[in-house]
Amino acid sequence: MNEVRDPELPGRLLTIERDALIPLLRGRADADFALPVAACPGWTVRDVLAHCSSALMRVVEGRFEEGVFSPESNDRDIAERAEWTNAQVVDELERGMTEAGPAIAKAGGVLDGVALGEWVHAGDVREAFGEPGAYAGDGLPDALALLAWVTQSRGHVPLHADLDDVDEPVRLGEASGERPPGRFIGDAPTLVRLYTGRPVAGAAYELVGVEAAELNLYG
């Protein structure tokens, strides 16, 4: 599939993930919020959730000062919620996932990556909990469509992905003609891991014509 921006896509992905993630979080013991998150060294589950909720509330409230998503800003957002209960962090996250969609839609594409990042961080949390379906689940089709759009809009390296668990191939990045597309063969969660810098040790996949490091959106 070759994506044209769907302004409703980020909000739809957030809604799907909200409906899956929030009940999971509300059913976990407080001790689980202190588990380390492998994809975010030095952060706990609670830290990841506080980062996610604060990012969405910035979208909802239109607060985008310079450096808003820098490591220093992220650390400040987490510190500001240090005295909150875990339930309060989850409440804010639920509100953000509910209300951010329209603001992202109106931003013309510049905030689409926020919704994708929220979905990826939800996968990070599932992995920390030992839950199945990290970087998969009901939101996967929309996440792949959003990933395709984000990589194309950013002029990322072109890639043709034949996915074991998706019927149609996914075309990512900008096919400018100056560089032939690389090719990925494997499952969709592994593709997501490669594009977001998550570990892929033990995953069975083929990658030809492009280095894994070139795919990382956050590298």
Side-chain angles (χ1 to χ4, degrees):
M1 53 187 171
N2 200 0
E3 294 303 318
V4 174
R5 181 177 185 257
D6 175 359
E8 303 303 319
L9 176 58
R12 186 166 66 245
L13 179 60
L14 287 174
T15 298
I16 292 170
E17 191 52 57
R18 178 201 65 196
D19 292 347
L21 181 64
I22 298 301
L24 173 65
L25 296 174
R26 296 204 189 282
R28 305 297 297 209
D30 276 346
D32 292 341
F33 287 76
L35 291 170
V37 176
C40 305
W43 279 10
T44 64
V45 167
R46 178 193 166 92
D47 293 335
V48 170
L49 298 175
H51 162 62
C52 287
S53 66
S54 62
L56 288 172
M57 292 314 299
R58 288 183 182 278
V59 171
V60 171
E61 297 168 0
R63 296 183 287 112
F64 292 104
E65 63 270 19
E66 185 176 355
V68 67
F69 295 129
S70 68
E72 295 78 14
S73 177
N74 293 339
D75 287 342
R76 286 194 300 271
D77 288 337
I78 292 170
E80 286 174 1
R81 290 155 177 78
E83 301 303 319
W84 292 19
T85 66
N86 293 326
Q88 286 175 307
V89 173
V90 175
D91 286 344
E92 184 183 55
L93 179 62
E94 182 176 20
R95 180 188 169 195
M97 296 180 97
T98 301
E99 298 181 9
I104 294 174
K106 292 178 182 178
V110 297
L111 296 178
D112 288 3
V114 173
L116 180 62
E118 296 282 329
W119 183 83
V120 171
H121 276 316
D124 298 338
V125 168
R126 283 192 181 83
E127 192 156 78
F129 285 163
E131 292 281 337
Y135 320 111
D138 291 343
L140 180 61
D142 284 336
L144 290 174
L146 190 54
L147 178 62
W149 159 253
V150 168
T151 58
Q152 289 167 19
S153 66
R154 295 182 183 180
H156 213 59
V157 59
L159 183 78
H160 179 102
D162 290 310
L163 302 175
D164 302 336
D165 41 359
V166 176
D167 291 338
E168 295 293 326
V170 181
R171 293 177 175 83
L172 304 108
E174 184 179 29
S176 64
E178 298 178 2
R179 177 176 178 173
R183 187 175 185 189
F184 171 89
I185 302 175
D187 63 33
T190 300
L191 181 71
V192 171
R193 287 176 180 273
L194 287 169
Y195 270 97
T196 58
R198 271 56 185 172
V200 293
Y205 69 94
E206 295 181 33
L207 189 62
V208 179
V210 60
E211 297 295 326
E214 294 180 272
L215 299 184
N216 188 354
L217 288 168
Y218 308 134

